Amino acid sequence: MSIYPKYIRVFKLGVQASMEYRLDFALSLISAFFPIMIQYYIWTAVYGRSGSGQFFGYTYGEMILYTIVAAIVTKIVTTNMDHVIASDIKDGALNKYLVQPANYFGLKLFTMLGQKLFFFTVMLAVLFLVIFYFGNRYAIHIPLENLVCFVAAMALSLILNFLISYTIAAIAFWLSEISYFFEMTGLLVIILSGGVFPIEVFGQTVSSLLNYLPFKYTIYFPSNVINGKLMSSEITEGLLMQIFWIGFMFLVSKLVWRIGFKKYLGLGG
Amino acid sequence: MKTRLGTLKTYGIIYLQFIKNCFIAQMEYRTNFILGIAVEIAYLLSKLLYVVVVYKSDLHIGDIPPDGILMFVGTYTMMTGLYSGLFFTNFVRISDYVRTGELDLLMVKPISLQFMVSLRYIDLGMPIPNLAAGITMVSIGWSALGIPVTAYHLFLFVLYLLSALVITYCLMIIPAILSFWFVNTGGLAGIFYAIWDANNMPMPIYPRLIQRIGVYVLPFLVITNFAPLSVMERLDGGLMLWGAIVPILLLVCVRLIWRKAIKNYSSASG
């Protein structure tokens, strides 16, 4: 008997659930366009006025590509899983999972992967079109292996981001009220991950601090793989760091959840 | 005339009651109140990153220096605070009223339905960080640019802020009103929030076509640009007039759409 069918089942359910809200997805794509537009004009003004070709270590083309790619990557990797899991903890819905012969972590992970499959594919297609167009326009040559590495980096970043959300969601064991809390943490994670601006903008101290945290490997790193800013040795190193952080966050989340469960009340449900 | 003033006074008293009720309700759930403020601070941080970029890269837009841009960002932040405090909660609820049929109950109240539905909830916590940061930024920009603090300048600034408030009400209520026709307007509201953020930067940064649309068709750009532009004396006579007329025009439009929408109300499931 294999243990996998049940996880494949929730994966398929996740795929189906994601297809249910296609219009919403299309509209969210349109709303992703506006921040890109604003930043595009900001950077055009910044680079247009100054004689020097670099700001925060990026050329104009790299910065524009970063802006576009980071916005799309943010859409791909962010899930509302922290909110879902936190509500499970808070309103006792976790009870029903506890008596099931399945692992809660596994169920949520595969649901998330299923939900993201459709988005992931569509977004990658959009992204490749964008890159093809802008790559030509700003004469940025992106080698094939970067594209392959990018897909790998994105897959890893999706898992890493899930682990971060899963760990943060455990705070719900200690909170009495969760309504807004995870909106705040979600936003802070996006900022620290480089989803608004590349982390160099924060200045030397903060960005070197962020080297010791997992966040930049979810948005900042994949975006820089594709805009041609990183050398291939740096890409390999980054991929290894992603794997390291996935392992590390996996252990942290196990630990936090074990401690949290001692606090679990199972109210409601 | 006298009855008109009387009505206005009555509505004023009712609005004060709304504020009082909301204050009492929010003090009952203090953790939520504080968390609401914390969420706004997180949003504020992500917006302040733009200020960091502006100063670090010494961005000039046309001949507006970084200090001038700060005034625009400040106005935007203030308006975001006002919007989140006065309107946001109400507009989110409108589609729920329609979907659940809760509107039936509100309809029978002896008061304007639109007033009741769109202004009833005031959040007193959420606007605090934005208003504080916004006023600070505007003041810093104002004094750094050496704009004289005269009654005339203050009057202009406040006038265009008020006009902006009315425009905000009229534009941001549109997705909510559309929920009388469509069940889910969350996606459209998301687009409106995204357009709202275009106000983060002074409008001369955008190409002429976008500026035209943003001023004359969907006057989003009027909201945060006219107040600082007017005190910088960069607003010509025609635009100054337009900034004063547009809120009135929009109010009339929204009122008409509202009436049409109400006729379409099906009182589902209530």
Side-chain angles (χ1 to χ4, degrees), chain B residues 131-147:
Chain B
L131 281 179
I135 293 170
T136 314
M137 282 190 266
V138 170
S139 319
I140 294 173
W142 191 306
S143 69
L145 287 179
I147 300 170

Side-chain angles (χ1 to χ4, degrees), chain A residues 66-126:
Chain A
Y66 183 93
T67 304
I68 299 168
V69 175
I72 298 177
V73 170
T74 308
K75 283 270 171 208
I76 297 179
V77 298
T78 51
T79 57
N80 62 344
M81 272 298 165
D82 41 1
H83 209 107
V84 173
I85 296 170
S87 337
D88 277 355
I89 294 172
K90 211 64 245 170
D91 59 28
L94 198 58
N95 294 349
K96 75 168 186 250
Y97 294 103
L98 291 182
V99 293
Q100 283 169 6
N103 179 300
Y104 182 72
F105 174 79
L107 287 179
K108 285 292 157 189
L109 177 64
F110 279 90
T111 312
M112 185 279 294
L113 290 176
Q115 275 175 0
K116 284 287 165 182
L117 183 70
F118 174 64
F119 293 175
F120 194 81
T121 328
V122 175
M123 286 305 221
L124 274 187
V126 172

Side-chain angles (χ1 to χ4, degrees), chain B residues 45-117:
Chain B
L45 282 180
S46 76
K47 298 296 172 226
L48 286 180
L49 283 180
Y50 284 84
V51 177
V52 173
V53 169
V54 165
Y55 275 96
K56 277 201 176 173
S57 61
D58 190 30
L59 174 64
H60 285 59
I61 297 170
D63 50 356
I64 303 174
D67 291 327
I69 298 174
L70 189 67
M71 265 185 88
F72 288 87
V73 180
T75 315
Y76 161 84
T77 313
M78 274 164 77
M79 289 310 300
T80 307
L82 289 175
Y83 167 63
S84 67
L86 300 178
F87 307 139
F88 176 73
T89 323
N90 299 294
F91 295 175
V92 170
R93 281 175 185 239
I94 290 179
S95 66
D96 291 340
Y97 294 147
V98 176
R99 211 177 42 241
T100 58
E102 210 180 312
L103 201 64
D104 296 1
L105 221 73
L106 297 167
M107 234 172 210
V108 293
K109 299 235 165 33
I111 181 177
S112 157
L113 182 66
Q114 190 186 343
F115 177 77
M116 180 80 182
V117 160

Side-chain angles (χ1 to χ4, degrees), chain A:
Chain A
M1 281 293 281
S2 160
I3 56 158
Y4 292 109
K6 59 192 175 198
Y7 294 114
I8 290 172
R9 187 79 216 144
V10 291
F11 177 77
K12 283 181 181 161
L13 280 173
V15 176
Q16 283 172 6
S18 72
M19 306 291 270
E20 209 175 330
Y21 301 104
R22 282 178 302 256
L23 183 66
D24 207 51
F25 175 62
L27 289 173
S28 82
L29 266 186
I30 299 175
S31 53
F33 166 77
F34 286 93
I36 296 177
M37 187 193 80
I38 299 165
Q39 292 198 8
Y40 170 81
Y41 288 117
I42 294 177
W43 291 123
T44 307
V46 167
Y47 285 87
R49 210 183 64 90
S50 157
S52 81
Q54 282 208 345
F55 278 96
F56 305 108
Y58 290 75
T59 64
Y60 178 61
E62 282 170 354
M63 189 58 100
I64 298 294
L65 263 186
Y66 183 93
T67 304
I68 299 168
V69 175
I72 298 177
V73 170
T74 308
K75 283 270 171 208
I76 297 179
V77 298
T78 51
T79 57
N80 62 344
M81 272 298 165
D82 41 1
H83 209 107
V84 173
I85 296 170
S87 337
D88 277 355
I89 294 172
K90 211 64 245 170
D91 59 28
L94 198 58
N95 294 349
K96 75 168 186 250
Y97 294 103
L98 291 182
V99 293
Q100 283 169 6
N103 179 300
Y104 182 72
F105 174 79
L107 287 179
K108 285 292 157 189
L109 177 64
F110 279 90
T111 312
M112 185 279 294
L113 290 176
Q115 275 175 0
K116 284 287 165 182
L117 183 70
F118 174 64
F119 293 175
F120 194 81
T121 328
V122 175
M123 286 305 221
L124 274 187
V126 172
L127 204 55
F128 282 141
L129 280 176
V130 167
I131 287 161
F132 185 70
Y133 174 76
F134 279 95
N136 276 340
R137 197 165 153 194
Y138 299 113
I140 292 179
H141 175 67
I142 298 155
L144 186 66
E145 64 252 37
N146 278 33
L147 292 183
V148 177
C149 288
F150 174 73
V151 177
M154 282 302 304
L156 289 173
S157 128
L158 196 58
I159 296 172
L160 178 57
N161 197 67
F162 172 79
L163 282 164
I164 294 174
S165 301
Y166 190 75
T167 312
I168 292 177
I171 298 175
F173 284 117
W174 287 273
L175 287 183
S176 58
E177 182 58 57
I178 58 162
S179 57
Y180 296 120
F181 186 80
F182 291 96
E183 199 179 329
M184 178 183 68
T185 54
L187 196 64
L188 288 178
V189 167
I190 290 178
I191 296 176
L192 291 180
S193 307
V196 183
F197 283 115
I199 60 173
E200 281 88 353
V201 167
F202 306 147
Q204 196 77 48
T205 334
V206 179
S207 62
S208 53
L209 258 176
L210 285 173
N211 283 335
Y212 301 100
L213 291 167
F215 303 113
K216 74 171 208 175
Y217 293 98
T218 61
I219 299 172
Y220 171 82
F221 170 66
S223 308
N224 273 329
V225 169
I226 204 79
N227 70 1
K229 198 168 172 295
L230 296 178
M231 304 274 121
S232 54
S233 61
E234 289 170 312
I235 294 177
T236 323
E237 197 190 309
L239 286 170
L240 288 174
M241 282 307 283
Q242 282 189 308
I243 295 170
F244 164 75
W245 279 114
I246 288 176
F248 185 81
M249 287 310 293
F250 180 73
L251 294 177
V252 171
S253 72
K254 284 276 163 216
L255 184 70
V256 173
W257 273 71
R258 181 167 298 169
I259 302 169
F261 252 121
K262 294 190 176 134
K263 284 264 174 190
Y264 184 56
L265 297 171
L267 293 173

